Amino acid sequence: MRLPIERECPFDPPARLRGLPPMSRLEFADGHLGWLATTVEAGRAVLSDPRFSARQELKHIALRSVRPGGPASPAPPGFFAATDPPGHSRYRRLLTGQFTVRRMRLLESRIERIAAGHLDAMAAAGPPADLVRAYALPIPSLVICELLGVPYDDHDFFQDCSAEIVAARGDGMRALADLTAYLGELVRRKRSEPGDDLISGLTGDLTDEELANVALILLVAGHETTANMLALGVFALLEQGSPLEEVSWESAVEELLRWLSILHLGAPARAALEDVEVAGELVAKGETVVLSLPAIDRDEAVFEDPEALRLGRQDARRHLAFGHGVHQCLGQQLARIELRIGYRALFQRFPGLRLAVPAAEVPMKTDAAVYGVAALPVTWS
């Protein structure tokens, strides 16, 4: 099969992903015959087994348009997401010290103030509003800027670059070069004028090139993913009509992460370094396995009635939205905090929030590596 893209419903996986075995043959854009993992067990097995590599030069891409510019070369220094241990371990160790649960929780009051400020601005401007531009995008953008030490005054530039980088169609390579050059100059300034931020804190451990690429990954991932999840989650809650008066937002966030997969085209993938058996199938050396997170996180063997959105679901945290194994998302605790505060503050401030257009008219990002809504028109009483 080929990787399906179109969805019948904006909140459901493509129909062709339903009922597949744990491992299915998948035809890649370049003709490579690889595999698609569709269950929690298979996904965890692939992501935790050191016989599978994250190196980008070893992996085939299921959809050609996700990576412009032809075959990949080895990841440049600092591009830790596309490296394996022991090199990956070095970067991970340095960054883990910057993303401790304690440090993330210390950011809570700041995130609450940021959310409140943008809600004040929405209220002052009056309905309707595009929730993406007015709320979902600026909150994680401002937080990751403060964490990294990136001037928020430049947010339009890096948001535009990020959107191009994660778009399946567009001038992603030029945007990548522009953003890398910008961060390279910022790193050089931090060396001479350090501040109380993550980039400054790593100048003694990493080269300029390494640090610019680390910052690139954290900057793009730190706002694109959370912004899309925040807006898509609000869309789902409004469309599903879920009662929110007594909801525990901590558990609701986990269920939304499970039920809504934003990694649509940019699915996690690994290349087999040797022959490996997964879920009864032999993955040959050199073959690529792509994980279908929309299917995995609705695995009926793990989640009871997986198609239903249950905000109080007890086992929701077994999802793989943040990955698994040594490459599990570094910023997952920060993302959880931003989502919890973002949802709670929004619905407390505007309990009468509703869509300003019919749900069918909400534009979706169907051609981007990070799935979500392109805009979310809302109004309130």
Side-chain angles (χ1 to χ4, degrees):
M1 66 173 291
R2 289 182 178 272
L3 189 63
I5 299 176
E6 296 300 328
R7 302 181 181 206
E8 297 174 358
C9 168
F11 312 123
D12 293 338
R16 280 195 292 159
L17 290 176
R18 297 181 181 131
L20 291 175
M23 295 285 287
S24 300
R25 275 300 192 181
L26 180 67
E27 182 183 352
F28 288 60
D30 60 1
H32 175 72
L33 190 60
W35 296 89
L36 183 70
T38 59
T39 66
V40 171
E41 182 181 7
R44 286 179 179 271
V46 172
L47 293 178
S48 62
D49 194 324
R51 293 174 294 177
F52 284 102
S53 174
R55 289 162 55 191
Q56 61 185 25
E57 74 273 20
L58 301 180
K59 297 185 293 185
H60 295 260
I61 301 300
L63 294 165
R64 190 186 311 277
S65 56
V66 170
R67 183 172 66 199
S73 55
F79 210 84
F80 62 91
T83 59
D84 294 335
H88 173 268
S89 304
R90 171 176 172 254
Y91 295 119
R92 184 86 184 190
R93 184 173 58 254
L94 291 171
L95 289 168
T96 298
Q98 303 288 334
F99 282 90
T100 62
V101 174
R102 178 179 176 276
R103 182 172 185 177
M104 294 304 102
R105 292 203 177 278
L106 289 174
L107 287 171
E108 286 196 37
S109 60
R110 176 58 180 146
I111 297 170
E112 288 172 348
R113 291 194 299 272
I114 291 171
H118 284 86
L119 291 174
D120 287 344
M122 281 178 58
D130 173 11
L131 197 77
V132 173
R133 283 288 169 185
Y135 189 68
L137 185 56
I139 292 175
S141 294
L142 186 52
V143 172
I144 197 64
C145 280
E146 292 188 2
L147 186 65
L148 292 177
V150 175
Y152 187 67
D153 289 346
D154 296 335
H155 69 280
D156 285 337
F157 166 73
F158 71 73
Q159 285 173 1
D160 290 344
C161 287
S162 298
E164 286 290 341
I165 290 168
V166 302
R169 298 171 182 85
D171 198 358
M173 295 304 288
R174 185 175 68 179
L176 180 63
D178 290 345
L179 188 53
T180 302
Y182 165 83
L183 290 170
E185 178 58 33
L186 179 63
V187 167
R188 287 187 285 274
R189 292 206 308 269
K190 293 291 182 182
R191 287 199 184 278
S192 59
E193 301 175 14
D196 184 20
D197 55 72
L198 187 148
I199 293 179
S200 297
L202 292 176
T203 53
D205 300 294
L206 300 174
T207 66
D208 285 6
E209 183 181 15
E210 287 178 310
L211 193 45
N213 285 323
V214 166
L216 172 69
I217 294 173
L218 297 178
L219 182 63
V220 174
H223 78 271
E224 275 288 340
T225 53
T226 306
N228 279 279
M229 187 64 213
L230 183 54
L232 186 61
V234 172
F235 183 22
L237 292 170
L238 294 178
E239 176 62 8
Q240 294 292 304
S242 303
L244 305 177
E245 293 79 6
E246 303 296 329
V247 70
S248 163
W249 285 109
E250 189 166 342
S251 62
V253 163
E254 299 304 326
E255 174 66 348
L256 288 167
L257 286 165
R258 180 198 71 84
W259 199 66
L260 300 169
S261 173
I262 59 168
L263 289 182
H264 184 188
L265 307 185
R270 297 289 185 269
L273 298 174
E274 58 184 83
D275 292 355
V276 187
E277 184 176 315
V278 179
E281 300 287 355
L282 181 64
V283 180
K285 178 180 179 180
E287 290 183 337
T288 297
V289 181
V290 173
L291 276 66
S292 171
L293 293 183
I296 286 172
D297 286 340
R298 297 197 183 193
D299 184 351
E300 61 182 10
V302 175
F303 306 105
E304 181 182 356
D305 193 11
E307 302 299 326
L309 176 64
R310 296 179 177 177
L311 298 182
R313 186 184 293 272
Q314 297 300 307
D315 58 0
R317 199 161 178 140
R318 298 177 69 183
H319 63 73
L320 296 188
F322 293 116
H324 182 66
V326 297
H327 282 276
Q328 192 172 37
C329 177
L330 275 164
Q332 60 180 293
Q333 297 305 328
L334 177 59
R336 286 184 166 106
I337 292 169
E338 289 177 312
L339 292 172
R340 173 167 49 80
I341 292 174
Y343 292 134
R344 183 185 65 206
L346 175 67
F347 286 105
Q348 284 181 349
R349 183 66 176 272
F350 300 118
L353 193 74
R354 61 188 184 276
L355 294 176
V357 298
E361 295 180 14
V362 174
M364 306 303 298
K365 294 181 178 179
T366 57
D367 61 348
V370 182
Y371 183 64
V373 294
L376 188 63
V378 295
T379 188
W380 56 89
S381 303

